[in-house]
Amino acid sequence: MGGAREPWINQAHNLLLVCTVCNSWFEDHPRESYEAWWKVRRPQLPGEVAVRYPDGRLYFLTPDGVRSTQVEAARCPRAPLSS
């Protein structure tokens, strides 16, 4: 969601560690970044939106900096219903 003055936005569950090249690509290609779940639109809360990692799996990020692979369909409507 990008840095902002609201303290909750700058918490670990809203931050992805990426290189400068990838960060520039995210900024230059916002539509694709949202579609790939690398960026979050307001008013969505980052901890409630899954992030697709390079391994292809969806993760939820938590305020303590941990990622969880337990993706529930109710929390992430874009997650596949079956594997």
Coordinates of all heavy atoms in Angstrom, one line a residue:
M1 N 0.8 -1.2 0.0 CA 0.0 0.0 0.0 C 0.9 1.3 0.0 O 0.4 2.3 -0.2 CB -0.9 0.0 1.2 CG -2.0 1.0 1.2 SD -3.1 0.9 2.6 CE -3.8 -0.6 2.4
G2 N 2.1 1.1 0.2 CA 3.0 2.3 0.2 C 3.1 2.9 1.6 O 2.2 2.8 2.4
G3 N 4.2 3.6 1.8 CA 4.3 4.3 3.1 C 3.3 5.4 3.2 O 2.9 6.0 2.3
A4 N 3.0 5.7 4.5 CA 2.0 6.8 4.7 C 2.2 7.3 6.2 O 2.9 6.7 6.9 CB 0.6 6.4 4.4
R5 N 1.4 8.3 6.5 CA 1.5 8.8 7.9 C 0.8 7.9 8.9 O 1.0 7.9 10.1 CB 0.9 10.2 7.9 CG 1.8 11.1 7.2 CD 1.4 12.6 7.4 NE 2.4 13.4 6.8 CZ 2.1 14.6 6.2 NH1 0.9 15.0 6.3 NH2 3.0 15.3 5.6
E6 N -0.2 7.1 8.4 CA -0.9 6.2 9.3 C 0.0 5.1 9.9 O 0.6 4.4 9.1 CB -2.1 5.6 8.7 CG -3.2 6.5 8.2 CD -3.0 7.0 6.8 OE1 -1.9 6.8 6.2 OE2 -4.0 7.5 6.2
P7 N 0.2 5.0 11.2 CA 1.1 4.0 11.7 C 0.9 2.6 11.3 O 1.8 1.8 11.1 CB 1.0 4.2 13.2 CG 0.4 5.5 13.5 CD -0.5 5.8 12.2
W8 N -0.4 2.2 11.2 CA -0.7 0.8 10.8 C -0.2 0.5 9.4 O 0.0 -0.7 9.1 CB -2.2 0.5 11.0 CG -3.1 1.3 10.0 CD1 -3.6 2.5 10.2 CD2 -3.5 0.8 8.7 NE1 -4.3 2.9 9.1 CE2 -4.3 1.9 8.2 CE3 -3.2 -0.3 8.0 CZ2 -4.8 1.8 6.9 CZ3 -3.8 -0.4 6.7 CH2 -4.6 0.6 6.2
I9 N -0.1 1.4 8.5 CA 0.3 1.1 7.2 C 1.8 0.7 7.1 O 2.2 -0.1 6.3 CB 0.1 2.3 6.3 CG1 -1.5 2.5 6.0 CG2 0.8 2.2 4.9 CD1 -1.9 3.6 5.1
N10 N 2.6 1.2 8.0 CA 4.0 0.9 8.0 C 4.4 -0.3 8.9 O 5.5 -0.4 9.3 CB 4.8 2.2 8.4 CG 4.6 3.3 7.4 OD1 4.8 3.1 6.2 ND2 4.3 4.5 7.9
Q11 N 3.5 -1.1 9.2 CA 3.7 -2.4 9.9 C 4.2 -3.5 9.0 O 4.0 -3.4 7.8 CB 2.5 -2.8 10.7 CG 2.1 -1.8 11.8 CD 0.9 -2.3 12.6 OE1 0.4 -3.4 12.4 NE2 0.4 -1.4 13.4
A12 N 4.8 -4.5 9.6 CA 5.4 -5.6 8.9 C 4.4 -6.3 7.9 O 4.8 -6.7 6.8 CB 6.0 -6.6 9.8
H13 N 3.1 -6.4 8.2 CA 2.2 -7.1 7.4 C 1.8 -6.3 6.1 O 1.1 -6.7 5.3 CB 1.0 -7.5 8.1 CG 0.1 -6.4 8.7 ND1 0.6 -5.6 9.7 CD2 -1.1 -6.0 8.4 CE1 -0.3 -4.7 10.0 NE2 -1.4 -4.9 9.2
N14 N 2.4 -5.1 6.0 CA 2.2 -4.3 4.8 C 3.4 -4.0 4.0 O 3.5 -3.2 3.1 CB 1.5 -2.9 5.2 CG 1.2 -2.1 4.0 OD1 0.7 -2.6 3.0 ND2 1.4 -0.8 4.0
L15 N 4.5 -4.8 4.4 CA 5.8 -4.5 3.7 C 6.3 -5.8 3.1 O 6.3 -6.8 3.6 CB 6.8 -4.0 4.8 CG 6.4 -2.8 5.6 CD1 7.4 -2.6 6.7 CD2 6.3 -1.6 4.7
L16 N 6.8 -5.6 1.8 CA 7.4 -6.7 1.1 C 8.9 -6.3 0.9 O 9.1 -5.1 0.4 CB 6.8 -7.0 -0.2 CG 5.4 -7.6 -0.2 CD1 4.9 -7.8 -1.6 CD2 5.4 -9.0 0.5
L17 N 9.8 -7.1 1.2 CA 11.2 -6.8 1.0 C 11.5 -7.2 -0.5 O 11.5 -8.4 -0.8 CB 12.1 -7.5 1.9 CG 13.6 -7.3 1.8 CD1 13.9 -5.8 2.0 CD2 14.4 -8.2 2.7
V18 N 11.8 -6.2 -1.3 CA 12.1 -6.5 -2.7 C 13.3 -5.6 -3.1 O 13.6 -4.6 -2.5 CB 10.9 -6.2 -3.7 CG1 9.7 -7.1 -3.3 CG2 10.5 -4.7 -3.6
C19 N 13.9 -6.0 -4.2 CA 15.1 -5.2 -4.7 C 14.6 -3.9 -5.4 O 13.4 -3.8 -5.7 CB 15.9 -6.1 -5.7 SG 15.1 -6.4 -7.2
T20 N 15.5 -3.1 -5.7 CA 15.1 -1.8 -6.3 C 14.5 -2.0 -7.7 O 13.5 -1.3 -8.0 CB 16.4 -0.9 -6.4 OG1 17.0 -0.7 -5.1 CG2 16.1 0.5 -7.0
V21 N 15.0 -2.9 -8.4 CA 14.5 -3.2 -9.8 C 13.0 -3.6 -9.7 O 12.1 -3.1 -10.4 CB 15.3 -4.2 -10.5 CG1 14.7 -4.6 -11.8 CG2 16.7 -3.7 -10.7
C22 N 12.7 -4.6 -8.8 CA 11.3 -5.1 -8.6 C 10.4 -3.9 -8.1 O 9.3 -3.8 -8.6 CB 11.3 -6.3 -7.7 SG 12.0 -7.8 -8.4
N23 N 10.9 -3.2 -7.1 CA 10.1 -2.1 -6.6 C 9.7 -1.1 -7.7 O 8.6 -0.6 -7.8 CB 10.8 -1.4 -5.4 CG 9.9 -0.4 -4.7 OD1 8.9 -0.8 -4.2 ND2 10.3 0.9 -4.8
S24 N 10.7 -0.8 -8.5 CA 10.4 0.1 -9.6 C 9.4 -0.4 -10.6 O 8.5 0.3 -11.1 CB 11.7 0.4 -10.4 OG 12.6 1.1 -9.6
W25 N 9.5 -1.8 -10.8 CA 8.5 -2.4 -11.7 C 7.1 -2.3 -11.1 O 6.2 -2.0 -11.8 CB 8.9 -3.9 -12.0 CG 8.1 -4.5 -13.0 CD1 8.4 -4.6 -14.4 CD2 6.8 -5.1 -12.9 NE1 7.4 -5.2 -15.0 CE2 6.4 -5.6 -14.1 CE3 6.0 -5.4 -11.8 CZ2 5.2 -6.2 -14.3 CZ3 4.8 -6.1 -12.0 CH2 4.4 -6.5 -13.2
F26 N 7.0 -2.6 -9.8 CA 5.7 -2.5 -9.1 C 5.1 -1.1 -9.3 O 3.9 -0.9 -9.6 CB 5.8 -2.7 -7.6 CG 6.3 -4.1 -7.3 CD1 6.8 -4.4 -6.0 CD2 6.2 -5.2 -8.1 CE1 7.1 -5.6 -5.6 CE2 6.6 -6.5 -7.8 CZ 7.0 -6.7 -6.5
E27 N 5.9 -0.1 -9.2 CA 5.5 1.3 -9.3 C 5.1 1.7 -10.8 O 4.2 2.4 -11.0 CB 6.5 2.3 -8.8 CG 6.7 2.2 -7.3 CD 5.5 2.3 -6.4 OE1 4.7 3.3 -6.7 OE2 5.3 1.6 -5.5
D28 N 5.9 1.1 -11.7 CA 5.7 1.4 -13.1 C 4.5 0.6 -13.7 O 4.0 1.0 -14.8 CB 6.9 1.1 -13.9 CG 8.0 2.1 -13.6 OD1 7.8 3.2 -13.1 OD2 9.2 1.8 -13.9
H29 N 4.1 -0.5 -13.1 CA 3.1 -1.4 -13.6 C 2.1 -1.6 -12.4 O 1.9 -2.8 -12.0 CB 3.7 -2.7 -14.0 CG 4.7 -2.5 -15.1 ND1 6.0 -2.3 -14.9 CD2 4.5 -2.5 -16.5 CE1 6.6 -2.2 -16.1 NE2 5.8 -2.3 -17.0
P30 N 1.3 -0.6 -12.0 CA 0.4 -0.8 -10.9 C -0.7 -1.8 -11.2 O -1.0 -2.6 -10.3 CB -0.1 0.6 -10.6 CG 0.1 1.4 -11.9 CD 1.3 0.8 -12.5
R31 N -1.3 -1.8 -12.3 CA -2.3 -2.8 -12.6 C -1.9 -4.2 -12.4 O -2.5 -5.0 -11.8 CB -2.9 -2.5 -14.0 CG -4.1 -3.5 -14.3 CD -4.7 -3.2 -15.7 NE -3.7 -3.1 -16.8 CZ -3.3 -4.2 -17.5 NH1 -3.7 -5.4 -17.2 NH2 -2.4 -4.0 -18.5
E32 N -0.7 -4.5 -13.0 CA -0.2 -5.9 -12.9 C 0.2 -6.2 -11.5 O 0.1 -7.3 -11.0 CB 1.0 -6.0 -13.8 CG 0.7 -6.0 -15.3 CD 0.8 -4.6 -15.9 OE1 0.8 -3.6 -15.1 OE2 0.9 -4.4 -17.1
S33 N 0.7 -5.2 -10.8 CA 1.1 -5.4 -9.4 C -0.1 -5.7 -8.5 O 0.0 -6.6 -7.6 CB 1.8 -4.2 -8.8 OG 3.0 -3.9 -9.5
Y34 N -1.2 -5.1 -8.7 CA -2.5 -5.4 -8.0 C -3.0 -6.7 -8.4 O -3.4 -7.5 -7.5 CB -3.5 -4.3 -8.2 CG -3.2 -3.0 -7.6 CD1 -3.1 -1.8 -8.3 CD2 -3.1 -2.9 -6.2 CE1 -2.8 -0.6 -7.7 CE2 -2.9 -1.7 -5.6 CZ -2.7 -0.5 -6.3 OH -2.4 0.7 -5.8
E35 N -2.9 -7.1 -9.7 CA -3.4 -8.4 -10.1 C -2.6 -9.5 -9.6 O -3.1 -10.6 -9.3 CB -3.4 -8.4 -11.6 CG -4.5 -7.5 -12.3 CD -4.4 -7.4 -13.8 OE1 -3.5 -8.0 -14.4 OE2 -5.2 -6.8 -14.4
A36 N -1.3 -9.3 -9.4 CA -0.4 -10.3 -8.8 C -0.4 -10.3 -7.3 O 0.3 -11.1 -6.7 CB 1.0 -10.1 -9.4
W37 N -1.2 -9.4 -6.7 CA -1.3 -9.3 -5.3 C -0.1 -8.9 -4.6 O 0.2 -9.2 -3.4 CB -1.8 -10.7 -4.6 CG -3.0 -11.2 -5.3 CD1 -4.0 -10.5 -6.0 CD2 -3.4 -12.6 -5.5 NE1 -5.0 -11.3 -6.5 CE2 -4.6 -12.6 -6.2 CE3 -2.8 -13.8 -5.1 CZ2 -5.2 -13.8 -6.5 CZ3 -3.5 -14.9 -5.4 CH2 -4.6 -14.9 -6.1
W38 N 0.7 -8.1 -5.3 CA 1.9 -7.5 -4.7 C 1.7 -6.1 -4.1 O 2.5 -5.6 -3.4 CB 3.1 -7.4 -5.7 CG 3.6 -8.7 -6.1 CD1 3.7 -9.8 -5.3 CD2 3.9 -9.1 -7.4 NE1 4.2 -10.9 -6.0 CE2 4.3 -10.5 -7.3 CE3 4.0 -8.5 -8.6 CZ2 4.8 -11.2 -8.4 CZ3 4.4 -9.2 -9.7 CH2 4.8 -10.5 -9.6
K39 N 0.6 -5.5 -4.5 CA 0.1 -4.2 -4.0 C -1.3 -4.3 -3.4 O -2.1 -5.2 -3.9 CB 0.2 -3.1 -5.0 CG 1.6 -2.8 -5.5 CD 1.7 -1.6 -6.4 CE 1.6 -0.4 -5.6 NZ 2.0 0.8 -6.3
V40 N -1.6 -3.5 -2.4 CA -3.0 -3.6 -1.8 C -3.6 -2.2 -2.0 O -3.0 -1.2 -1.8 CB -2.8 -3.9 -0.3 CG1 -4.2 -3.9 0.3 CG2 -2.1 -5.2 -0.1
R41 N -4.9 -2.2 -2.4 CA -5.6 -1.0 -2.6 C -6.3 -0.6 -1.3 O -6.7 -1.5 -0.5 CB -6.7 -1.1 -3.7 CG -6.1 -1.4 -5.0 CD -7.3 -1.4 -6.0 NE -6.9 -2.1 -7.3 CZ -6.4 -1.4 -8.3 NH1 -6.2 -0.1 -8.2 NH2 -6.1 -2.0 -9.4
R42 N -6.4 0.7 -1.0 CA -7.2 1.1 0.1 C -8.7 0.9 -0.2 O -9.0 1.0 -1.4 CB -7.0 2.6 0.4 CG -5.6 2.9 0.9 CD -5.5 4.4 1.1 NE -4.1 4.7 1.4 CZ -3.7 5.3 2.5 NH1 -4.6 5.6 3.4 NH2 -2.4 5.5 2.7
P43 N -9.6 0.5 0.6 CA -9.5 0.4 2.1 C -9.1 -1.0 2.6 O -9.3 -1.3 3.7 CB -10.9 0.8 2.5 CG -11.7 0.2 1.5 CD -10.9 0.3 0.2
Q44 N -8.6 -1.9 1.7 CA -8.2 -3.2 2.1 C -7.1 -3.1 3.2 O -6.3 -2.3 3.1 CB -7.7 -4.1 1.0 CG -8.7 -4.4 -0.1 CD -8.1 -5.1 -1.3 OE1 -7.2 -4.6 -1.9 NE2 -8.6 -6.3 -1.6
L45 N -7.2 -4.0 4.1 CA -6.2 -4.1 5.2 C -5.1 -5.1 4.8 O -5.5 -6.3 4.4 CB -6.8 -4.5 6.5 CG -7.8 -3.5 7.1 CD1 -8.5 -4.1 8.3 CD2 -7.2 -2.2 7.3
P46 N -3.9 -4.8 4.8 CA -2.8 -5.7 4.3 C -2.8 -7.1 4.9 O -2.6 -8.1 4.3 CB -1.5 -4.9 4.6 CG -1.9 -3.5 4.7 CD -3.3 -3.5 5.2
G47 N -3.1 -7.1 6.2 CA -3.2 -8.4 6.9 C -4.3 -9.3 6.5 O -4.3 -10.5 6.8
E48 N -5.2 -8.8 5.7 CA -6.4 -9.6 5.2 C -6.3 -9.9 3.7 O -7.2 -10.5 3.2 CB -7.7 -8.8 5.5 CG -7.9 -8.6 7.0 CD -9.2 -7.7 7.2 OE1 -9.8 -7.3 6.3 OE2 -9.5 -7.5 8.4
V49 N -5.2 -9.6 3.1 CA -5.0 -9.8 1.7 C -3.8 -10.7 1.5 O -2.7 -10.5 2.0 CB -4.8 -8.5 0.9 CG1 -4.5 -8.7 -0.5 CG2 -6.0 -7.6 1.1
A50 N -4.0 -11.8 0.8 CA -2.9 -12.7 0.5 C -1.9 -12.1 -0.5 O -2.3 -11.3 -1.3 CB -3.5 -14.0 0.0
V51 N -0.7 -12.5 -0.3 CA 0.4 -12.1 -1.2 C 1.0 -13.3 -1.9 O 1.2 -14.3 -1.3 CB 1.5 -11.4 -0.4 CG1 2.7 -11.1 -1.3 CG2 1.0 -10.2 0.4
R52 N 1.1 -13.3 -3.2 CA 1.7 -14.4 -4.0 C 3.2 -14.2 -4.0 O 3.7 -13.2 -4.5 CB 1.1 -14.5 -5.4 CG 1.6 -15.7 -6.1 CD 1.0 -16.0 -7.4 NE -0.5 -16.1 -7.3 CZ -1.2 -17.2 -6.9 NH1 -0.5 -18.3 -6.4 NH2 -2.5 -17.2 -6.9
Y53 N 3.9 -15.2 -3.4 CA 5.3 -15.2 -3.4 C 5.9 -15.9 -4.7 O 5.1 -16.6 -5.4 CB 5.8 -15.9 -2.2 CG 6.0 -15.0 -1.0 CD1 5.0 -14.3 -0.4 CD2 7.3 -14.8 -0.5 CE1 5.2 -13.5 0.7 CE2 7.5 -13.9 0.6 CZ 6.4 -13.3 1.2 OH 6.6 -12.4 2.2
P54 N 7.2 -15.7 -4.9 CA 7.8 -16.3 -6.2 C 7.6 -17.8 -6.2 O 7.6 -18.4 -7.3 CB 9.3 -15.9 -6.1 CG 9.3 -14.7 -5.3 CD 8.1 -14.8 -4.3
D55 N 7.4 -18.5 -5.1 CA 7.1 -19.9 -5.1 C 5.7 -20.3 -5.6 O 5.4 -21.5 -5.7 CB 7.4 -20.6 -3.7 CG 6.4 -20.1 -2.6 OD1 5.5 -19.4 -2.9 OD2 6.6 -20.5 -1.5
G56 N 4.9 -19.3 -5.9 CA 3.6 -19.5 -6.4 C 2.5 -19.6 -5.3 O 1.3 -19.7 -5.7
R57 N 2.9 -19.7 -4.1 CA 2.0 -19.9 -3.0 C 1.5 -18.6 -2.5 O 2.2 -17.6 -2.5 CB 2.6 -20.7 -1.9 CG 3.0 -22.1 -2.3 CD 3.7 -22.9 -1.3 NE 2.7 -23.3 -0.2 CZ 3.1 -23.8 0.9 NH1 4.3 -24.1 1.2 NH2 2.2 -24.2 1.8
L58 N 0.3 -18.6 -1.9 CA -0.3 -17.4 -1.3 C 0.0 -17.4 0.2 O -0.1 -18.4 0.9 CB -1.8 -17.4 -1.5 CG -2.3 -17.2 -2.9 CD1 -3.8 -17.4 -3.0 CD2 -1.9 -15.8 -3.4
Y59 N 0.4 -16.3 0.7 CA 0.7 -16.1 2.1 C -0.1 -14.9 2.7 O -0.3 -13.9 2.0 CB 2.2 -15.9 2.3 CG 3.1 -17.0 1.9 CD1 3.6 -17.1 0.7 CD2 3.4 -18.0 2.9 CE1 4.4 -18.2 0.3 CE2 4.2 -19.1 2.5 CZ 4.7 -19.2 1.3 OH 5.5 -20.2 0.9
F60 N -0.4 -15.0 3.9 CA -0.8 -13.8 4.7 C 0.3 -13.3 5.5 O 1.1 -14.1 6.1 CB -2.0 -14.1 5.6 CG -3.3 -14.2 4.9 CD1 -3.9 -15.5 4.6 CD2 -4.0 -13.1 4.5 CE1 -5.1 -15.6 3.9 CE2 -5.2 -13.2 3.8 CZ -5.7 -14.4 3.5
L61 N 0.6 -12.0 5.6 CA 1.6 -11.5 6.4 C 1.0 -11.0 7.7 O -0.1 -10.5 7.7 CB 2.3 -10.3 5.7 CG 2.8 -10.7 4.3 CD1 3.4 -9.4 3.6 CD2 3.8 -11.8 4.3
T62 N 1.7 -11.1 8.8 CA 1.2 -10.7 10.1 C 2.0 -9.5 10.7 O 3.2 -9.3 10.2 CB 1.3 -11.9 11.1 OG1 2.7 -12.3 11.3 CG2 0.6 -13.1 10.6
P63 N 1.5 -8.8 11.6 CA 2.2 -7.6 12.2 C 3.5 -7.9 12.8 O 4.4 -7.1 12.9 CB 1.2 -7.1 13.2 CG -0.2 -7.5 12.7 CD 0.1 -8.9 12.1
D64 N 3.7 -9.2 13.2 CA 5.0 -9.6 13.8 C 6.0 -10.0 12.7 O 7.1 -10.5 13.1 CB 4.9 -10.6 14.9 CG 4.2 -11.9 14.4 OD1 3.9 -12.0 13.2 OD2 4.1 -12.8 15.2
G65 N 5.7 -9.9 11.5 CA 6.7 -10.2 10.4 C 6.7 -11.6 9.9 O 7.5 -12.0 9.1
V66 N 5.7 -12.4 10.4 CA 5.6 -13.8 10.0 C 4.7 -14.0 8.9 O 3.7 -13.2 8.7 CB 5.1 -14.7 11.2 CG1 4.9 -16.1 10.8 CG2 6.1 -14.6 12.4
R67 N 4.9 -15.0 8.0 CA 3.9 -15.2 6.9 C 3.2 -16.6 7.2 O 3.9 -17.5 7.7 CB 4.5 -15.2 5.6 CG 5.6 -16.2 5.3 CD 6.2 -16.0 4.0 NE 7.2 -17.1 3.8 CZ 7.9 -17.3 2.7 NH1 7.8 -16.4 1.7 NH2 8.7 -18.3 2.6
S68 N 2.0 -16.6 6.9 CA 1.2 -17.8 7.1 C 0.7 -18.4 5.8 O 0.2 -17.6 4.9 CB 0.0 -17.5 8.0 OG -1.0 -18.5 8.0
T69 N 0.7 -19.7 5.6 CA 0.2 -20.3 4.3 C -1.2 -20.7 4.4 O -1.8 -21.2 3.5 CB 1.1 -21.5 3.9 OG1 1.0 -22.4 5.0 CG2 2.5 -21.1 3.6
Q70 N -1.8 -20.5 5.6 CA -3.2 -21.0 5.7 C -4.1 -19.9 5.1 O -4.5 -18.9 5.7 CB -3.6 -21.1 7.2 CG -2.8 -22.3 7.8 CD -3.1 -22.4 9.3 OE1 -3.7 -21.6 9.9 NE2 -2.7 -23.5 9.9
V71 N -4.5 -20.2 3.9 CA -5.4 -19.2 3.1 C -6.8 -19.8 3.2 O -7.0 -20.8 2.7 CB -4.9 -19.1 1.7 CG1 -5.8 -18.2 0.9 CG2 -3.5 -18.5 1.7
E72 N -7.7 -19.0 3.8 CA -9.1 -19.4 3.9 C -9.8 -18.7 2.8 O -9.6 -17.6 2.5 CB -9.6 -19.0 5.2 CG -8.9 -19.6 6.4 CD -9.4 -19.0 7.7 OE1 -10.4 -18.3 7.7 OE2 -8.6 -19.1 8.7
A73 N -10.7 -19.5 2.1 CA -11.5 -18.9 1.0 C -12.3 -17.7 1.4 O -12.4 -16.7 0.7 CB -12.4 -20.0 0.4
A74 N -12.7 -17.7 2.7 CA -13.5 -16.5 3.1 C -12.7 -15.3 3.2 O -13.2 -14.2 3.1 CB -14.2 -16.8 4.5
R75 N -11.4 -15.4 3.5 CA -10.5 -14.3 3.7 C -9.9 -13.8 2.4 O -9.5 -12.7 2.2 CB -9.4 -14.6 4.7 CG -10.0 -14.7 6.1 CD -8.9 -15.0 7.1 NE -8.0 -13.8 7.2 CZ -6.8 -13.8 7.8 NH1 -6.4 -14.9 8.3 NH2 -6.1 -12.7 7.8
C76 N -9.8 -14.8 1.4 CA -9.1 -14.4 0.2 C -10.0 -15.0 -1.0 O -9.8 -16.1 -1.4 CB -7.7 -15.0 0.1 SG -6.9 -14.6 -1.4
P77 N -10.9 -14.2 -1.5 CA -11.8 -14.7 -2.5 C -11.1 -15.1 -3.8 O -11.6 -15.8 -4.6 CB -12.8 -13.5 -2.8 CG -12.1 -12.3 -2.2 CD -11.2 -12.8 -1.1
R78 N -9.8 -14.6 -4.0 CA -9.1 -14.9 -5.2 C -8.3 -16.3 -5.1 O -7.8 -16.7 -6.1 CB -8.1 -13.8 -5.5 CG -8.8 -12.5 -5.7 CD -7.8 -11.4 -5.8 NE -7.2 -11.2 -4.5 CZ -6.4 -10.2 -4.2 NH1 -6.1 -9.3 -5.1 NH2 -5.9 -10.1 -3.0
A79 N -8.3 -16.9 -3.9 CA -7.5 -18.1 -3.7 C -8.3 -19.2 -4.4 O -9.5 -19.3 -4.4 CB -7.4 -18.4 -2.2
P80 N -7.6 -20.2 -5.0 CA -8.2 -21.3 -5.6 C -9.0 -22.1 -4.6 O -8.6 -22.3 -3.4 CB -7.1 -22.2 -6.2 CG -5.8 -21.6 -5.7 CD -6.1 -20.3 -5.1
L81 N -10.2 -22.7 -5.0 CA -11.0 -23.4 -4.1 C -10.5 -24.8 -3.9 O -10.8 -25.5 -2.9 CB -12.5 -23.4 -4.6 CG -13.1 -22.1 -4.6 CD1 -14.5 -22.2 -5.2 CD2 -13.2 -21.5 -3.2
S82 N -9.8 -25.4 -4.8 CA -9.2 -26.7 -4.7 C -7.8 -26.7 -5.2 O -7.4 -25.9 -6.0 CB -10.1 -27.7 -5.4 OG -10.1 -27.4 -6.8
S83 N -7.0 -27.7 -4.8 CA -5.7 -27.8 -5.3 C -5.5 -28.9 -6.4 O -6.3 -29.7 -6.6 CB -4.7 -28.1 -4.2 OG -5.2 -28.6 -3.1

